[in-house]
Amino acid sequence: MSGREHGVESFDRLGDIDAANVVRCARSLLRRPLLHTESQDGELLGMIYRHRAVLQEMFSTLLGYRLVIHRRYARLYKSGPGADPTRAVPTLSPRGYAYVALTLATLTGSGKQVLLSRLIADVHSDASEAGMVVDDGPTDRRALTAALRHLVALGVLTETEGTVAPSANDSTAEALITVDTDLLGQLLSGPLAEATGPEHLVALSSGTAGSHVATVEQAVRRRLVEDPVVHYEDLPVSQANWLRRHRAREARMLERYFGVVAESRSEGIATADPQDYLTDTPFPGTSTVARIAQLALPELLDSTTPRAGDHRHPVTWQDFTRVCTELLENHPSTWSRRATEDPDSLIRMVVDLLRRVGVLAPDDPGEPNGWLLSPSAHRWLPIPEGDPGPAAEPETLPAPEPPAPGLFDLLEGEPPH
């Protein structure tokens, strides 16, 4: 596939070694959109700076993403996962996210260094001005500490003396905090100067408003790069039609530029990273939750009927309860003690895992106990181990008409589309 097919001519002119290095840099930026010298993969900054022109053209042309590269840091302005609740930072609660926003607002006027006690006092003051009720109780202290720790991990804050960690349990703890104002200025993904309010800023950040609107092909590619499973039914009509026409070409593009493998079937496309580097949630796994989730898939698929025209299986909390309870009762010594003592908690974790993997989605936002199970779940059906022994010769029957291939049901020897 020629890079000129997508307009990435600078990539097409690279030799094999440089092209492989650019792909490695692109994958690192997709995983860590704010990359600095002290972060994981920070050693790649030199290579990213050297190939900055190619990387900037590649992200701009293919995904409509802006990429800022300096010697000390690189910032990829992605559109983000939108309203997907499974893609949040695990350590941040909704209260923690609110404190991140408040802290960023406070830091814009704090200078290069600030005492922890002064920063907390200013955050509380700004929260009161914004009409947000805060207190100095343990819950708020933990949320604020999580927000500060997140900003430390991003490199925006550095603990020069002391640490922000004890503030969750000790409101008198002190520390000297250094602010990286350069990284602070790069953190927000939306242009503040153009935003007329919070909702407009979110729309600008996601590429759905103003001059930042992504093209049809860019919007589709963002989904393919960021989401493990993309159903045609979930896309706007224009995007779904475009992807159906160009799915083979897009599969080649994903592998060439980002090292991602796409599997195309009638219901949609799933993407996987053979190295698991870009995989948010590896699956299957060896934990009790992962094993029960995988073992539950066959029964959930077999006991429910696909929705007409959608191919997805409606499942309920009762379905999960029945299937998971049977697995716990039939093999009690196999699972962790916590799982057998608290099955409701286990079922919630199974549902959450399947949602993060991309095979389970809410059926109705207003109905919290109903989901749609993707046919892509077939790719993870468990295969029994061992020899079942000889079986009786079955009666010879006429060969049935082969069904149309379902999502990820690869026939033997068939390469992915």
Side-chain angles (χ1 to χ4, degrees):
M1 179 182 62
S2 169
R4 296 182 185 89
E5 186 176 354
H6 295 286
V8 192
E9 297 183 8
S10 57
F11 183 94
D12 200 42
R13 293 193 295 266
L14 295 175
D16 291 343
I17 294 177
D18 283 338
N21 286 334
V22 168
V23 171
R24 182 185 178 193
C25 293
R27 286 163 56 82
S28 178
L29 290 165
L30 284 173
R31 181 177 175 87
R32 296 185 174 89
L34 180 58
L35 195 63
H36 58 92
T37 53
E38 300 301 320
S39 63
Q40 287 184 287
D41 292 344
E43 71 278 2
L44 293 179
L45 278 172
M47 188 185 299
I48 290 173
Y49 187 82
R50 185 163 62 253
H51 293 294
R52 59 190 181 278
V54 179
L55 287 165
Q56 287 169 334
E57 181 187 4
M58 191 166 81
F59 278 111
S60 175
T61 301
L62 298 180
L63 302 176
Y65 287 165
R66 183 166 66 98
L67 174 59
V68 175
I69 300 176
H70 291 268
R71 293 188 180 275
R72 257 191 345 105
Y73 65 86
R75 175 67 163 109
L76 178 65
Y77 288 87
K78 298 166 63 175
S79 60
D84 185 352
T86 69
R87 307 289 285 277
V89 177
T91 57
L92 291 178
S93 63
R95 194 73 166 175
Y97 273 104
Y99 272 119
V100 168
L102 286 168
T103 303
L104 292 179
T106 300
L107 289 173
T108 57
S110 65
K112 291 280 188 178
Q113 288 189 322
V114 62
L115 289 172
L116 177 61
S117 58
R118 175 61 184 272
L119 177 60
I120 292 175
D122 289 345
V123 168
H124 285 173
S125 175
D126 290 345
S128 297
E129 288 187 21
M132 179 177 173
V133 179
V134 298
D135 57 48
D136 198 33
T139 300
D140 264 35
R141 286 206 300 269
R142 282 193 293 270
L144 177 55
T145 297
L148 296 175
R149 297 302 310 165
H150 182 58
L151 294 176
V152 169
L154 291 175
V156 175
L157 300 182
T158 300
E159 298 160 309
T160 304
E161 293 182 17
T163 175
V164 302
S167 64
N169 300 313
D170 182 5
S171 60
T172 64
E174 190 59 280
L176 178 63
I177 307 299
T178 299
V179 184
D180 190 323
T181 53
D182 291 333
L183 288 182
L184 176 64
Q186 297 290 340
L187 200 57
L188 290 182
S189 60
L192 284 173
E194 298 180 29
T196 57
E199 293 80 8
H200 190 212
L201 179 61
V202 172
L204 291 170
S205 301
S206 61
T208 59
S211 60
H212 305 270
V213 175
T215 64
V216 169
E217 54 265 38
Q218 288 171 345
V220 173
R221 289 176 192 143
R222 290 177 181 181
R223 292 287 301 269
L224 294 175
V225 168
E226 301 290 349
D227 296 344
V229 178
V230 177
H231 295 96
Y232 294 123
E233 292 289 335
D234 294 335
L235 296 174
V237 174
S238 59
Q239 295 181 16
N241 291 339
W242 184 89
L243 181 56
R244 285 189 175 99
R245 291 196 305 270
H246 301 289
R247 59 183 181 271
R249 188 192 72 180
E250 293 304 299
R252 295 193 299 270
M253 183 276 296
L254 289 173
E255 186 167 7
R256 176 171 174 79
Y257 295 112
F258 304 112
V260 173
V261 176
E263 298 178 7
S264 176
R265 283 296 179 267
S266 58
E267 300 91 352
I269 293 179
T271 54
D273 179 11
Q275 300 178 21
D276 277 343
Y277 178 78
L278 295 176
T279 303
D280 293 336
T281 306
F283 186 77
T286 58
S287 68
T288 291
V289 173
R291 291 162 64 196
I292 287 184
Q294 186 182 14
L295 291 172
L297 291 177
E299 177 61 23
L300 289 170
L301 290 169
D302 292 342
S303 62
T304 56
T305 303
R307 179 170 292 176
D310 191 357
H311 308 290
R312 288 180 289 188
H313 295 243
V315 292
T316 65
W317 177 261
Q318 289 73 23
D319 294 322
F320 276 103
T321 300
R322 172 179 54 81
V323 173
C324 293
T325 300
E326 289 177 359
L327 289 170
L328 290 174
E329 292 177 349
N330 292 341
H331 312 280
S333 62
T334 305
W335 316 118
S336 67
R337 181 178 177 181
R338 178 184 176 186
T340 56
E341 291 180 348
D342 189 2
D344 286 345
S345 178
L346 169 76
I347 296 168
R348 284 192 293 271
M349 288 188 286
V350 166
V351 170
D352 177 67
L353 175 60
L354 292 177
R355 289 192 63 184
R356 286 185 282 120
V357 170
V359 300
L360 197 67
D363 186 5
D364 182 353
E367 174 51 57
N369 293 323
W371 300 274
L372 293 174
L373 184 61
S374 169
S376 63
H378 284 95
R379 72 195 307 226
W380 289 300
L381 295 186
I383 300 174
E385 295 181 352
D387 185 357
E393 288 292 330
E395 180 182 354
T396 303
L397 297 174
E401 290 291 331
L407 189 57
F408 317 119
D409 294 331
L410 285 174
L411 300 176
E412 184 176 354
E414 178 190 3
H417 294 312

